[in-house]
Amino acid sequence: EDRYASSMLMVRKYEKHEASITEANLLWKMNTAIQNISFQGKSLCEVYMDMYEERVILCGASSYDKLFYFNPEFDRLPEEIKEDLKVLCVLFTEDVGGTFRLEFSPDGTLHMTVESRDDDFFFDEIGSELKIRDIRLDHRELLEQLEMYYKLFWEETNHADSN
């Protein structure tokens, strides 16, 4: 908890003293600070799983904050795939609004989660469902590869933890 408090203090210093910092740089610095935190001996992925009903967030974007988030636990993915995910998430939120996340369930299934604020009258709920259908069709191979990567990644992690 002390490391968490000091990391948040570091982020507040950036917010106060570096007015020229972009939101993307701030988010990157926050992610870097968060990577160094251990929550009661759990890895960051384990914390995500606890927080999101045992789902692990791969990435997401928000039309409200105009931010993209990529889970640093998946840094081993090729840069090209990370860039494709960024484009996919950001374009989704630009088209229909709200927040959009790609997250894995414990069995390795990749889910697309969309949320909106109650007062967001511009959010296109029907458009979001149609967009998800289009993503599943147009990016089927990428989504299947991500599921396979996740299953292999967790299998490798679980074997490393048990040894």
Side-chain angles (χ1 to χ4, degrees), residues 79-90:
E79 289 299 319
E80 182 180 312
I81 290 177
K82 289 189 226 178
E83 190 61 32
D84 288 347
L85 291 170
K86 181 177 184 177
V87 169
L88 186 132
C89 291
V90 170

Side-chain angles (χ1 to χ4, degrees), residues 24-36:
N25 283 339
L26 180 59
L27 185 61
W28 177 81
K29 289 179 182 186
M30 288 173 63
N31 281 339
T32 302
I34 289 171
Q35 283 178 0
N36 298 321

Side-chain angles (χ1 to χ4, degrees), residues 28-90:
W28 177 81
K29 289 179 182 186
M30 288 173 63
N31 281 339
T32 302
I34 289 171
Q35 283 178 0
N36 298 321
I37 299 170
S38 173
F39 296 92
Q40 301 170 345
K42 292 182 178 182
S43 73
L44 198 52
C45 272
E46 290 171 325
V47 171
Y48 288 139
M49 288 178 72
D50 290 345
M51 288 172 51
Y52 295 99
E53 300 173 22
E54 299 191 13
R55 287 191 178 179
V56 177
I57 296 175
L58 171 62
C59 59
S62 170
S63 66
Y64 307 117
D65 303 321
K66 302 290 185 204
L67 294 175
F68 171 77
Y69 171 77
F70 184 82
N71 184 341
E73 295 282 334
F74 294 94
D75 273 344
R76 296 189 307 185
L77 281 171
E79 289 299 319
E80 182 180 312
I81 290 177
K82 289 189 226 178
E83 190 61 32
D84 288 347
L85 291 170
K86 181 177 184 177
V87 169
L88 186 132
C89 291
V90 170

Side-chain angles (χ1 to χ4, degrees), residues 7 17 27 32 36 50 54-55 69-72 80 87 96 103 105 107 110 116 122 137-138 146:
S7 296
H17 299 294
L27 185 61
T32 302
N36 298 321
D50 290 345
E54 299 191 13
R55 287 191 178 179
Y69 171 77
F70 184 82
N71 184 341
E80 182 180 312
V87 169
V96 299
E103 36 188 48
S105 60
D107 68 353
L110 186 62
S116 67
F122 295 107
L137 292 172
D138 297 342
L146 287 168

Side-chain angles (χ1 to χ4, degrees), residues 73-135:
E73 295 282 334
F74 294 94
D75 273 344
R76 296 189 307 185
L77 281 171
E79 289 299 319
E80 182 180 312
I81 290 177
K82 289 189 226 178
E83 190 61 32
D84 288 347
L85 291 170
K86 181 177 184 177
V87 169
L88 186 132
C89 291
V90 170
L91 286 179
F92 185 97
T93 58
E94 288 297 314
D95 286 348
V96 299
T99 56
F100 176 72
R101 290 188 313 268
L102 293 173
E103 36 188 48
F104 292 103
S105 60
D107 68 353
T109 305
L110 186 62
H111 300 271
M112 292 179 240
T113 305
V114 182
E115 295 175 350
S116 67
R117 295 179 180 163
D118 291 337
D119 62 348
D120 183 359
F121 301 111
F122 295 107
F123 175 71
D124 185 358
E125 190 170 346
I126 295 170
S128 72
E129 294 298 322
L130 294 172
K131 188 84 171 162
I132 287 174
R133 187 196 68 200
D134 290 344
I135 290 170

